[in-house]
Amino acid sequence: MGLKVILCALILQCFPLVAAHSVEVRVVTAQWLGYADAQGEGYYFEILKRAFPEPQWQLNIMVVPFARSIQMLQHERADIVLGVYRGDLRRGSYSQYPVEMDKVDIAITPAMARDWQGLSSLTHRKVQAYLAYGFDRIIPHTMYYEESSSLEDMLARLNEGRIDAVLDYRPGLEAATRKIGEPVNYVIVDNVLNENVYFGFADTRFGSSLKLHFDSVHKQLIDDGVQERLFNEVQQKLGLKD
């Protein structure tokens, strides 16, 4: 029996009326500039919609803070979560292949920038990031690490010399910097942390069937160069690639 037949059988077991009605999939994500927004647009959705196209599938998209997106999946209030690292989920599974390599940037003081030696320069420094990003889990150096719900507030603290660094992404850092409206006393260093990013699937029978289906289509998108093309397009739109 072919893989596609097996996948269809699994989904039919979960939704017997799939032939007559679209299969609803509850998708939860944080808002990621260029990658996922409240209108269901961005790189992550370009990948997802190719695996779950209309009219066979109906994606019910919820945009919530990152920490809540993880909670919703683990409490079975969502079927798929977008944009997670391995280790983010206590319950659930990850796509077989990464959807991207996450490249994290950092805002640091000019003095730190002059002596920057990579992530080891953050040892015993006051470092902040957005809620639930959990960079302290993947950075192998001891930091005074805290998380906040406001990027502008974090950058204001950095500008005032109250902290040493803010981990985030250049587009967001630049947008928040413009809102501060003061002389800026920090610089942005690109690509200080690289980590694979995955889609997560609920620890349910339906979630498992969605993962099997997604992994099959996703592998084809990678082999055909579609994922790389879509990723390059979003990088160009964000001004991160020529």
Side-chain angles (χ1 to χ4, degrees), residues 28-32 63-75 77 81-84 88-90 130-134 147-149:
V28 65
T29 180
Q31 183 159 307
W32 309 104
V63 176
V64 298
F66 181 69
R68 187 180 173 200
S69 72
I70 299 295
Q71 292 172 356
M72 290 180 70
L73 186 86
Q74 293 180 155
H75 288 89
R77 295 172 57 199
V81 62
L82 309 183
V84 295
D88 281 342
L89 305 178
R90 291 190 300 275
Y130 199 74
L131 282 176
Y133 276 8
E147 296 183 334
S148 170
S149 61

Side-chain angles (χ1 to χ4, degrees), residues 3 5 53 110-111 131 144 146 169 172 175 191 206 212 222 224 230:
L3 178 60
V5 175
L131 282 176
Y144 300 109
E146 295 181 332
Y169 305 91
N191 300 342
F206 184 48
L212 283 172
I222 294 171
D224 291 346
L230 292 172

Side-chain angles (χ1 to χ4, degrees), residues 36-194:
D37 63 27
Q39 288 70 48
E41 298 179 354
Y43 168 72
Y44 288 160
F45 289 118
E46 290 295 327
I47 296 292
L48 197 66
K49 289 175 181 177
R50 281 165 169 76
F52 302 104
E54 295 180 337
Q56 299 97 322
W57 304 89
Q58 178 185 341
L59 300 179
N60 181 2
I61 299 165
M62 297 164 281
V63 176
V64 298
F66 181 69
R68 187 180 173 200
S69 72
I70 299 295
Q71 292 172 356
M72 290 180 70
L73 186 86
Q74 293 180 155
H75 288 89
E76 300 180 11
R77 295 172 57 199
D79 304 305
I80 300 176
V81 62
L82 309 183
V84 295
Y85 296 147
R86 285 197 178 275
D88 281 342
L89 305 178
R90 291 190 300 275
R91 290 185 61 213
S93 57
Y94 303 88
S95 53
Q96 182 175 359
Y97 306 100
V99 295
E100 62 151 328
M101 171 68 77
D102 194 18
K103 297 181 178 181
V104 182
D105 309 315
I106 193 169
I108 54 178
T109 64
M112 281 190 67
R114 286 192 297 270
D115 300 327
W116 183 252
Q117 299 293 321
L119 293 174
S120 61
S121 296
L122 298 179
T123 303
H124 302 312
R125 295 284 190 169
K126 296 178 181 178
V127 181
Q128 295 191 351
Y130 199 74
L131 282 176
Y133 276 8
F135 291 133
D136 58 332
R137 179 175 53 79
I138 56 179
I139 294 177
H141 303 287
T142 301
M143 307 174 291
Y144 300 109
Y145 179 80
E146 295 181 332
E147 296 183 334
S148 170
S149 61
S150 172
L151 183 55
E152 290 178 45
D153 288 348
M154 288 186 279
L155 289 177
R157 296 184 196 107
L158 176 62
N159 213 36
E160 295 166 2
R162 296 162 54 193
I163 61 174
D164 300 303
V166 176
L167 286 159
D168 206 85
Y169 305 91
R170 177 174 282 275
L173 291 168
E174 290 181 339
T177 295
R178 288 191 292 270
K179 293 179 180 179
I180 291 177
E182 299 177 2
V184 173
N185 190 35
Y186 55 81
V187 296
I188 300 174
V189 179
D190 295 322
N191 300 342
V192 299
L193 176 64
N194 298 311

